Amino acid sequence: MMDLILTVLLWFSAIGCGLLAGLYFAFSTFIMRALDRTGAEAGATAMNAINVEILRSTFMPFFLGTTASSAILALIALIRWGEPGSLSMFLGGVLYVVGMFGVTISFNVPLNNRLAKTDSGEVDTVWRHYLDVWTRWNRVRTLTSTAASALFIAAIAAG
């Protein structure tokens, strides 16, 4: 039974990390630039709308569920240390929880909150800072989500 649970968690995490990596990749490679092309006020307005909508979407169960399953996999890897795939499972879990969830909570969410509270008189300055810093941290989320997905796939292959 434990092997079945482990297999389900690994597949869910690999797919969840991959889906979120794709979303973050899209934001880093073209969505943020497209928002910027609309101008600071329009870009900020659109990003604020995205930030409200994403909380109500199916993104959230994948965001939270993948974080939880990745943390569980890291713990299981410690318990099953030395078994095939345990190192990949541990590294994938830690990388995802720290590099995606930790970065999101520590950097992207506070930037989103600041953007939401911006007065129209300061939108140009705040948007410039937001666009640069938010996208930089989003690239970290893209890379760590992609790497975690690959590590979980490696753990599946090893098992």
Side-chain angles (χ1 to χ4, degrees):
M1 183 65 168
M2 181 62 175
D3 286 341
L4 176 62
I5 293 169
L6 181 60
T7 299
V8 169
L9 286 172
L10 278 167
W11 276 106
F12 178 80
S13 293
I15 293 167
C17 289
L19 286 170
L20 293 169
L23 174 68
Y24 300 144
F25 178 78
F27 269 90
S28 287
T29 57
F30 64 89
I31 293 173
M32 295 306 287
R33 283 193 291 236
L35 293 177
D36 190 38
R37 291 185 86 164
T38 66
E41 187 149 341
T45 299
M47 193 64 189
N48 284 329
I50 290 168
N51 289 333
V52 168
E53 191 59 35
I54 204 164
L55 296 175
R56 299 183 215 166
S57 73
T58 54
F59 167 83
M60 287 309 291
F62 277 98
F63 175 80
L64 295 172
T66 303
T67 302
S69 65
S70 295
I72 291 166
L73 286 170
L75 293 173
I76 291 171
L78 289 174
I79 294 166
R80 298 177 82 164
W81 197 253
E83 292 183 23
S86 61
L87 179 60
S88 295
M89 200 163 56
F90 176 75
L91 292 174
V94 170
L95 187 60
Y96 189 77
V97 170
V98 173
M100 190 292 299
F101 187 76
V103 164
T104 299
I105 298 304
S106 299
F107 300 103
N108 294 89
V109 168
L111 288 164
N112 291 344
N113 293 340
R114 172 68 178 111
L115 185 66
K117 294 176 184 171
T118 301
D119 295 327
S120 60
E122 60 182 347
V123 72
D124 286 332
T125 304
V126 171
W127 177 249
R128 284 288 128 234
H129 174 76
Y130 179 87
L131 190 64
D132 179 50
V133 178
W134 189 95
T135 304
R136 187 176 323 126
W137 285 111
N138 192 63
R139 287 184 188 119
V140 172
R141 299 190 304 174
T142 303
L143 293 172
T144 57
S145 296
T146 302
S149 180
L151 286 162
F152 290 138
I153 292 168
I156 292 166

